[in-house]
Amino acid sequence: MLRIHFGEVDLARTRIAVAPDPLWEIAASLHRIQSRRGRWAYAGWYRSVRQRLREKGLERVLRGVFLPLYPRAAYFPDFLTPADAVGDLDAGVESILATPEQRVLKEMAILDRTIGAPSWAGQLARLEARKEFVGMLRAYYDAVVAPYEEQAQARIEAERAQRSRGLLDGGVEGMLAGLGPMLRWRAPVLEVTYPKQADDRDLHLNGRGLTLVPSYFNWGEPVAFADPELPPVLWYSLLHEQSPPPETPQGAGAPDAPLITLLGRARALALSATSAGATTGEIARAAGVSASSASRHATALRDAGLVTTIRNGPAVLHTLTPAGASLLRAATQRTPG
């Protein structure tokens, strides 16, 4: 467990990122490739990612470079996900290139002690090797992460809307209290559930505040920098919809039968899809219906006071109201397991 200790100044300086962190999404997507956890939530992405990597000639780079540097383990090098990369891939790449040689060597040594670093890892201390590496990162991002930028941004907008509601009701402490099952606010400490292999540790903010970065590809594995001297940043999971794809049979995690009886299967799936915010297109995919049907379901749920709809650029974003959240939570609690 990570315990983040807040002071009054830290509460005032805590914020939620306005956009995804491209370099962290690269890391989190590589963790998804290494795990079956939450695979149903990324079913479409899983179907396409291998093909895209093959088409771009990145399969050998994936196996030989990325997976050894980004293990799904207690540690991977901090310099690969710089704090100033939120919403800006170019800025993040420049930070990687500007990393001092000694820091690269230090973090590669930590990786080696933790899980074992590849024999060539120390070469990344050289600027020319890092230039080649960031070229690979850009190619991977374009193939694997960039096609999902719109969905990721929509999710973060929905998350910010939900957290803003907590902020209005209870200040920053109210916002922190609603961050989800992996993050528990016990004033003045935010307790973060880390992967089992990670050691317990404490992070004292000491007036620096905390940047919270919702992550599209993170699945229940919140992460902060291992080095306590780096800017305090916490990446955490959006957890996506809490229902499986529409083809999953009842009894294997589909919406509870009473909720389906009340709303109908498609509308119950539509309601569940809005738990982390969803566009009309995302509702259509989650419920397995056409876009026009998804729009009608969203309108019916909005008229019933279960969802609210806001415009997000050219699209609209549907999120749960307190009544919708209560209904969905009650249905989830009724589901065995």
Side-chain angles (χ1 to χ4, degrees), residues 89-153:
L89 179 62
D90 289 336
V93 163
E94 289 302 315
S95 289
I96 290 177
L97 293 176
T99 306
E101 177 180 334
Q102 288 305 312
R103 178 181 168 190
V104 175
L105 292 173
K106 175 184 175 182
E107 294 186 4
M108 289 303 179
I110 297 173
L111 177 64
D112 194 42
R113 292 196 303 269
T114 303
I115 197 171
S119 59
W120 49 262
Q123 296 179 23
L124 287 178
R126 296 188 298 107
L127 180 59
E128 287 305 314
R130 261 178 288 152
K131 286 181 178 179
E132 183 179 358
F133 174 71
V134 299
M136 298 175 189
L137 281 179
R138 287 186 182 277
Y140 177 89
Y141 182 86
D142 290 343
V144 174
V145 179
Y148 291 81
E149 283 178 335
E150 182 179 345
Q151 292 96 315
Q153 185 63 49

Side-chain angles (χ1 to χ4, degrees), residues 2 4 6 10-11 13-21 24 83 86 156 159-160 163-164 167 172-180 183-185 190-192 205 208-215 222-224 231-238:
L2 169 66
I4 303 176
F6 285 73
D10 299 307
L11 288 171
R13 293 180 176 174
T14 292
R15 66 186 186 91
I16 298 180
V18 300
D21 179 337
W24 171 251
V86 174
I156 286 182
E159 172 70 4
R160 283 171 57 85
R163 298 288 72 79
S164 295
L167 181 67
V172 177
E173 293 190 72
M175 179 184 74
L176 294 172
L179 284 171
L183 308 169
R184 182 166 51 182
W185 174 248
L190 180 65
E191 296 179 345
V192 182
L205 297 179
R208 295 175 295 173
L210 178 69
T211 299
L212 295 159
V213 185
S215 170
V223 176
V233 179
L234 179 68
W235 295 270
Y236 69 100
S237 176
L238 291 169

Side-chain angles (χ1 to χ4, degrees), residues 12 23 43 66 99 153 168 219 317:
L23 289 175
F66 292 146
T99 306
Q153 185 63 49
L168 290 172
W219 185 263
L317 187 67

Side-chain angles (χ1 to χ4, degrees), residues 150-162 165 273-283 298 302 307-321:
E150 182 179 345
Q151 292 96 315
Q153 185 63 49
R155 293 286 184 207
I156 286 182
E157 291 294 337
E159 172 70 4
R160 283 171 57 85
Q162 290 178 320
R165 186 177 298 154
T274 63
S275 63
T279 63
T280 303
E282 288 171 338
I283 288 176
R302 184 172 64 250
V307 305
T308 185
T309 302
I310 58 174
R311 182 156 293 279
N312 179 40
V316 293
L317 187 67
H318 310 283
T319 58
L320 292 174
T321 64

